[in-house]
Amino acid sequence: MHLSTSIIASLALILPSLALPASNPGKDAVPGESPLFVNYGGKKTPLNPEYTRVIPATKHGAPQSDDLLFQNLLSAEWIIYSFYQEAVETFSTADFVKLGLPNSTYQRITELRDNEAGHVRIFQDQISDYSLKPGPCRYDFGMGNSTEIFLALQVYIEVSSMAFLTGLVREAKIDMSKSALVAIAEVETRHNVWSLIDVWNVSPFSGPADTIYPYANQILDSTNAFVLPGSCPAQNPVYPSPRQNLPQMAFSKNSTTGRPGSKIQFVFSDATNQPSFERSQKYYAVFYHGVDVISVPFNPVDNTSTIPRQFDSTSIIIAAIADQPDAPTEDSVVAGPLIMLEQPGTLTLKEPNAV
Ligand SMILES: *[C@@H]1O[C@H](CO)[C@@H](O)[C@H](O)[C@H]1NC(C)=O
Ligand SMILES: *[C@@H]1O[C@H](CO)[C@@H](O)[C@H](O)[C@H]1NC(C)=O
Ligand SMILES: *[C@@H]1O[C@H](CO)[C@@H](O)[C@H](O)[C@H]1NC(C)=O
Ligand SMILES: *[C@@H]1O[C@H](CO)[C@@H](O)[C@H](O)[C@H]1NC(C)=O
């Protein structure tokens, strides 16, 4: 995906006519209590300024057991929240009506933004006073003024977050954290279902289970593609932590339908971070769909494999290249993961990760 740096300018675009109702509105706003995280429709962020930056630890002592998990999740959430906040500031009701979409589309997008701002606050509160709460970086989503690119990315970002939450649950130590992660995944799912119905006009259902990917930090790492290099607050921990920094994958769009049964040619999109395949080693493309995992031989000469014919064409298929069938450990993954959207089937726009 090519990201243009000009987009960042629009982050500063805050229309003064749509200011928040009060001068310091988010100050004591509590997720689950405040309408700011439900149906506040303003262009300005619902977050009080004190929550839009790094919050240092206020106590000395050992971090609590899920602090690292929520630091990772908060850094991911800053990306998702900022994506919606940029859209709310850039677009208007008329922009979506022009596409023939319901006149409620923009309002829904502001509500998604409100929910994501609530997630920021929830994750900040889940990090104990013994640990720093990471602040936002600057991001480039490459959407410019394009409502169409925004809507395509919206599906992609929601299904990605649904997928990494299935893996993050495995890292949680405290029961409350595990339940909170499921509760957040349910909300991201609602966001996805809304766009499947109202925007894409396809079935909202995705078969009996959404896709599990076991190594959440690998998906989080792929979201670094949206982060402007060097833009994160200096105090922020490495994101994600720990970070494997695996070669990122895309796929050649003209090599595949992207559907089950189709051949696919993977492309390693960062020239400075390429996999090195050993001649004596066998490699596998491991495909994840629902709770199913299917490994297919991967040809490291032309980087091709075949998407398993057995899968249904709902939701997403995730692919990773591994040096063992079914990628039994995090370290067995040598490139990826790549998230392939199956639903909606054809985005009218450039599909994220297709080159
Ligand atoms: C959306 O359209 C409906 C019916 O067509 C109308 O009643 C409603 O006022 C419109 N809402 C907005 C925000 O324009
Ligand atoms: C977006 O639209 C605004 C206002 O119409 C315009 O000034 C700006 O140049 C546009 N930016 C891009 C990237 O198209
Ligand atoms: C497919 O696209 C790649 C670039 O991504 C190009 O090098 C190649 O020639 C194309 N193949 C065909 C059959 O069009
Ligand atoms: C396959 O990927 C490897 C590793 O980056 C690269 O060296 C090779 O050129 C790729 N093959 C093709 C046909 O693109």
Side-chain angles (χ1 to χ4, degrees):
M1 183 166 49
H2 292 284
L3 301 172
S4 104
T5 45
S6 64
I7 309 318
I8 297 314
S10 64
L11 282 168
L13 187 79
I14 294 168
L15 300 192
S17 57
L18 287 150
L20 282 165
S23 60
N24 202 10
K27 181 102 178 94
D28 300 301
V30 175
E33 298 179 8
S34 172
L36 285 167
F37 304 127
V38 181
N39 58 6
Y40 155 66
K43 286 205 178 265
K44 218 178 146 188
T45 177
L47 292 169
N48 184 277
E50 73 181 90
Y51 298 117
T52 58
R53 52 182 180 234
V54 172
I55 302 172
T58 53
K59 292 182 184 158
H60 288 287
Q64 300 292 291
S65 42
D66 286 337
D67 281 359
L68 180 63
L69 182 160
F70 281 107
Q71 285 178 324
N72 282 329
L73 188 50
L74 178 56
S75 290
E77 185 58 52
W78 279 123
I79 301 175
I80 301 170
Y81 153 78
S82 301
F83 170 71
Y84 285 113
Q85 182 61 30
E86 180 179 332
V88 167
E89 291 174 16
T90 306
F91 305 127
S92 67
T93 300
D95 290 332
F96 296 99
V97 171
K98 253 185 268 171
L99 295 179
L101 295 173
N103 67 1
S104 58
T105 304
Y106 179 77
Q107 180 200 330
R108 292 282 175 262
I109 292 163
T110 66
E111 291 166 3
L112 303 192
R113 182 275 315 270
D114 298 346
N115 287 177
E116 301 300 349
H119 293 171
V120 165
R121 292 291 302 108
I122 289 169
F123 302 152
Q124 286 172 336
D125 287 349
Q126 294 292 321
I127 298 169
S128 78
D129 293 343
Y130 297 101
S131 296
L132 171 146
K133 305 177 208 298
C137 313
R138 289 193 300 140
Y139 309 102
D140 184 354
F141 300 103
M143 63 177 146
N145 286 355
S146 168
T147 43
E148 285 157 315
I149 293 178
F150 163 75
L151 290 168
L153 269 178
Q154 191 265 337
V155 182
Y156 176 74
I157 283 178
E158 291 294 350
V159 292
S160 300
S161 63
M162 288 157 58
F164 69 63
L165 286 162
T166 63
L168 272 185
V169 171
R170 300 178 181 205
E171 298 178 17
K173 312 243 176 2
I174 302 166
D175 282 346
M176 178 57 194
S177 309
K178 297 172 194 168
S179 298
L181 294 173
V182 174
I184 298 296
E186 288 168 341
V187 166
E188 306 299 2
T189 306
R190 284 187 171 82
H191 295 174
N192 180 235
V193 165
W194 162 76
S195 65
L196 292 178
I197 296 174
D198 261 11
V199 175
W200 299 101
N201 195 24
V202 296
S203 168
F205 304 131
S206 60
D210 256 289
T211 297
I212 295 172
Y213 188 73
Y215 311 123
N217 286 26
Q218 294 177 0
I219 300 183
L220 295 179
D221 201 352
S222 69
T223 66
N224 271 313
F226 297 120
V227 179
L228 280 177
S231 72
C232 295
Q235 306 97 305
N236 271 15
V238 169
Y239 167 75
S241 185
R243 181 181 188 192
Q244 285 175 280
N245 199 21
L246 291 172
Q248 298 294 302
M249 289 204 300
F251 63 95
S252 166
K253 204 168 185 182
N254 61 6
S255 73
T256 186
T257 62
R259 295 307 203 184
S262 174
K263 276 197 81 111
I264 184 164
Q265 180 176 36
F266 297 106
V267 175
F268 304 102
S269 34
D270 179 354
T272 66
N273 187 4
Q274 293 286 305
S276 60
F277 297 119
E278 288 164 34
R279 276 171 187 276
S280 56
Q281 174 73 50
K282 279 192 173 140
Y283 293 94
Y284 302 87
V286 186
F287 292 93
Y288 301 81
H289 182 64
V291 298
D292 211 358
V293 183
I294 298 180
S295 296
V296 180
F298 168 78
N299 179 341
V301 175
D302 61 6
N303 303 324
T304 58
S305 189
T306 304
I307 303 170
R309 185 172 300 283
Q310 296 94 317
F311 291 157
D312 61 46
S313 290
T314 58
S315 192
I316 56 171
I317 294 171
I318 299 182
I321 309 303
D323 59 14
Q324 291 177 64
D326 294 355
T329 64
E330 202 166 39
D331 288 338
S332 68
V333 179
V334 299
L338 167 70
I339 295 179
M340 291 180 285
L341 270 182
E342 299 297 305
Q343 189 185 1
T346 43
L347 297 175
T348 54
L349 355 114
K350 194 169 148 60
E351 197 166 339
N353 284 325
V355 292

